[in-house]
Structures are given as C-alpha cells and as structure tokens.
Amino acid sequence: MKKIAVVILNWNGVKLLEQFLPSVVQYSSEADIYVADNASTDNSISFVETHFPTVKIVKNSGNYGFAKGYNEALQHIDAGIYALVNSDIEITENWLAPVLEMFEKEKQTAIIQPKILDFKNKAYFEYAGAAGGFIDKYGFPYCRGRIFETIEKDNEQYNDSCEISWASGACFFIRSKVYHELKGFDDDFFAHQEEIDLCWRTKNAGYTIKYNPNSTVYHVGGATLQQGNPKKTYLNFRNSLLMLVKNLPEENLFSTLFIRLILDGVAGIHFLLQGKLSHFTAILKAHFSFYRLFSKTYKKRGFFQSKEYYSVKSIVVNYYINNGKVFVK
C-alpha cells in the first residue's frame, strides 16, 4: 500500500479516460491509482483493464453520483491520503510532492486543493475551485480567481499558500482518517456542493483546509453535467440550502435561511425574465425538495458550528452592486 491513493470516479466516461488517464498514470508514481466506476454501461472498465493494467478498479453496484459514489468506493481503498480527481482533469509533473510535503509538515491540515486552471484556456483559472474556495454569509461559494461567472487570468497573484474555506471536488486531497471520521460526503447531495459541506464540517471539527499553489492541474469542467443544464441548477440551489441547515450556527440559522430563500426567489425571477423557464422551474423543485429533506438534514447537525464561517457578508451585493469582480478577502 502506498501512502496516497488517486481515485477517479467514472460513469460512462471512456472518452475522458482515454484523454486524461495517461497523464495521471505518467505523473503519479508515488500513488496507487484507482478508477471507481458507478456501474458504467460503456466500455470504460475493459478500456482500463486493457490499456492500464496497473490501475485498480472498484465497481459500484449503481450510479450513485459523486457523493455516494465516492463513499461506496473508498470503503475498499486503503491509504493515508485520498486524492479524489475528476475524470476530466489533466495533471502536471510533480503535482503530488508539494501536497504530500504539506500534509507531512502540517498535521492539522486535513484537506488540500491544488491550483486549478482551465484546460481549454490554460492562462486562466477554472470555475470549479480556481485558487481555493470561500463562502459568504448566505452560503454562496466563490474562489480566489473566480466570483460568480467572472474568471481571472493567472498572473501568479494567488501563488501563496493559504488557508481556505473549501477545496474543489475536481481535485480534492483529504486525509482518509478525517474522511471516515466525518462519514465522508452526504449521500443526499448526490452531486454538487457536497465537497463544500464536507469542508465546512471539517472546519467545524477543528481541522484546517489549505490551498497549495505548487501543485497544478487543468480542468475541463462541465464534462459530465454542463453549466447550462437545469439539473445542475436544481442540485446547486437545493444542496446549498441543505448545507446551510447542517452547518450554520444555531442563532443564525433561520434568519440566514430566510434571506437566502428570498435571494433564490430573485434568482428565479431573473431566470424567468431571461426566458429560462427550465431553470426557474429547477429552483422551485430545489426548494420543494429542500422542504422535504429539512427535518432529516437538521438531525445531521454536528455538536459544534463555528461562528466564523464566512469572509464576506454578501458576495451578491459585492458583485452586482459594488462591482466587486475580483477576489478580496
């Protein structure tokens, strides 16, 4: 057993494996490499077995999405550190050494994210994670290098290692001990924002999350569920609300949720005015699903919720009213 396991979740993604698995194998000699397959019906498994016999395969019995898919697979993978890597990630030489060194030196650091740049435009940060994630008072995520749809060019302005609020699930390093201690991702999320929820719970448990700029990967983004897909809108809006219920301090919970629900309504009206009826409907469905899951989700709250969970009161106000298009902590 090696100290780190690189685990790629796959569902009918043979084309992505053909394109991106070679870079993982080439530059990951320090790691055991796994493909965790969510019951694919294409030839993903046979492709890996034929062309990459050193890559181990874990077969899930169904398409469990990102959250449960990893939860099921990681029960069968023994390593000190998990590197959870999307199938549409191209990695670079020496991507693991800086991360392993940081884990070795910083015992309270439980989760690390590398620099994530855009595979299609490699001079720019990529939407899902960029140079590390933060969250505002109302649960809206943003990144160093990306606020809503505004994405910065990488001019080495974020080449400092720093503590962050959340690490992107596109390339997510976590100590296995912490992952299992916190029971991994929340199955109810299926996909989207489950990594932010896990990071929030990790911080509430007293651990640190860091960004390491000395490790770089390139992410396609939207390869499995494109940005304009109403299902992505549904999952993002619903899961963001579930995350708030689980992690907000008790005294702020209902007042913050009330404001967030209003802001979601404004977003829905904005979609409607743009003629995007399917996205408007997706928000309605997200809210009804949230109401159904509220009681179950509330029972998942931990013993402690930190009151210092956000850096900016409202990224919505900063972005749309104060023209704050660039990250400021």
Side-chain angles (χ1 to χ4, degrees), residues 119-175:
F119 177 79
K120 299 183 288 291
N121 191 352
K122 293 187 175 182
Y124 283 80
F125 289 101
E126 206 279 319
Y127 182 94
F134 291 83
I135 196 165
D136 82 349
K137 183 176 181 178
Y138 303 108
F140 290 105
Y142 61 101
C143 307
R144 300 204 308 168
R146 189 273 295 173
I147 301 178
F148 287 123
E149 304 301 322
T150 301
I151 298 173
E152 296 180 46
K153 187 175 183 180
D154 177 20
N155 294 317
E156 301 186 351
Q157 68 272 42
Y158 303 122
N159 271 13
D160 57 318
S161 175
C162 68
E163 187 172 346
I164 57 177
S165 298
W166 57 270
S168 171
C171 190
F172 186 95
F173 295 87
I174 183 168
R175 295 186 190 273

Side-chain angles (χ1 to χ4, degrees), residues 157-322:
Q157 68 272 42
Y158 303 122
N159 271 13
D160 57 318
S161 175
C162 68
E163 187 172 346
I164 57 177
S165 298
W166 57 270
S168 171
C171 190
F172 186 95
F173 295 87
I174 183 168
R175 295 186 190 273
S176 60
K177 172 181 175 293
V178 175
Y179 186 92
H180 294 295
E181 174 188 328
L182 297 175
K183 299 183 174 22
F185 298 115
D186 187 329
D187 289 352
D188 286 334
F189 280 51
F190 186 78
H192 293 292
Q193 302 206 31
E194 65 287 294
E195 79 271 42
I196 305 178
D197 168 65
L198 178 55
C199 285
W200 201 339
R201 288 185 281 125
T202 300
K203 289 176 75 72
N204 281 340
Y207 296 102
T208 300
I209 302 167
K210 298 292 285 288
Y211 162 72
N212 191 320
N214 299 315
S215 174
T216 300
V217 301
Y218 297 97
H219 184 215
V220 174
T224 54
L225 195 58
Q226 294 182 352
Q227 192 67 25
N229 192 313
K231 185 175 181 181
K232 184 184 285 281
T233 299
Y234 165 78
L235 290 169
N236 275 323
F237 275 81
R238 186 198 66 172
N239 292 350
S240 185
L241 292 169
L242 296 177
M243 177 177 65
L244 290 175
V245 171
K246 291 177 66 177
N247 298 293
L248 280 173
E250 187 74 33
E251 59 267 35
N252 298 342
L253 176 57
F254 291 102
S255 60
T256 302
L257 272 177
F258 178 73
I259 295 172
R260 176 56 192 268
L261 289 169
I262 291 173
L263 291 172
D264 283 4
V266 172
I269 292 169
H270 181 68
F271 279 131
L272 199 58
L273 293 175
Q274 290 181 315
K276 298 179 179 180
L277 180 60
S278 60
H279 291 274
F280 171 78
T281 303
I283 294 176
L284 288 179
K285 290 179 178 177
H287 279 208
F288 282 118
S289 180
F290 164 67
Y291 299 141
R292 287 194 300 270
L293 288 169
F294 181 89
S295 179
K296 178 183 180 183
T297 304
Y298 187 84
K299 293 175 183 177
K300 297 178 184 178
R301 289 173 62 82
F303 293 107
F304 174 77
Q305 285 80 31
S306 173
K307 296 180 181 179
E308 298 179 0
Y309 66 91
Y310 66 91
S311 298
V312 174
K313 185 173 182 180
S314 174
I315 202 67
V316 175
V317 172
N318 271 13
Y319 188 86
Y320 290 105
I321 298 176
N322 299 332

Side-chain angles (χ1 to χ4, degrees), residues 13-135:
V14 66
K15 295 297 183 184
L16 294 173
L17 292 173
E18 288 174 356
Q19 184 174 3
F20 295 107
L21 187 55
S23 73
V24 178
V25 173
Q26 182 179 359
Y27 295 127
S28 305
S29 59
E30 306 98 319
D32 289 320
I33 303 171
Y34 294 80
V35 168
D37 189 75
N38 262 343
S40 292
T41 55
D42 66 0
N43 62 331
S44 296
I45 298 296
S46 61
F47 168 78
V48 174
E49 290 174 336
T50 301
H51 297 281
F52 298 97
T54 62
V55 174
K56 302 173 177 64
I57 298 171
V58 178
K59 298 179 182 179
N60 290 336
S61 58
N63 178 18
Y64 297 133
F66 187 99
K68 188 177 180 180
Y70 268 122
N71 288 344
E72 291 288 320
L74 293 180
Q75 294 180 40
H76 308 287
I77 297 175
D78 189 11
I81 296 164
Y82 297 139
L84 310 184
V85 180
N86 276 16
S87 57
D88 60 348
I89 287 276
E90 179 185 75
I91 65 170
T92 61
E93 190 173 0
N94 197 46
W95 73 301
L96 291 177
V99 174
L100 290 170
E101 182 181 2
M102 180 175 277
F103 274 127
E104 184 64 30
K105 289 181 177 178
E106 302 179 15
K107 301 303 182 183
Q108 276 302 109
T109 296
I111 296 172
I112 296 173
Q113 182 199 294
K115 179 186 286 188
I116 302 178
L117 299 177
D118 188 347
F119 177 79
K120 299 183 288 291
N121 191 352
K122 293 187 175 182
Y124 283 80
F125 289 101
E126 206 279 319
Y127 182 94
F134 291 83
I135 196 165

Side-chain angles (χ1 to χ4, degrees), residues 2-23:
K2 295 186 178 179
K3 184 175 182 178
I4 184 168
V6 175
V7 188
I8 301 167
L9 190 68
N10 174 73
W11 180 69
N12 288 346
V14 66
K15 295 297 183 184
L16 294 173
L17 292 173
E18 288 174 356
Q19 184 174 3
F20 295 107
L21 187 55
S23 73

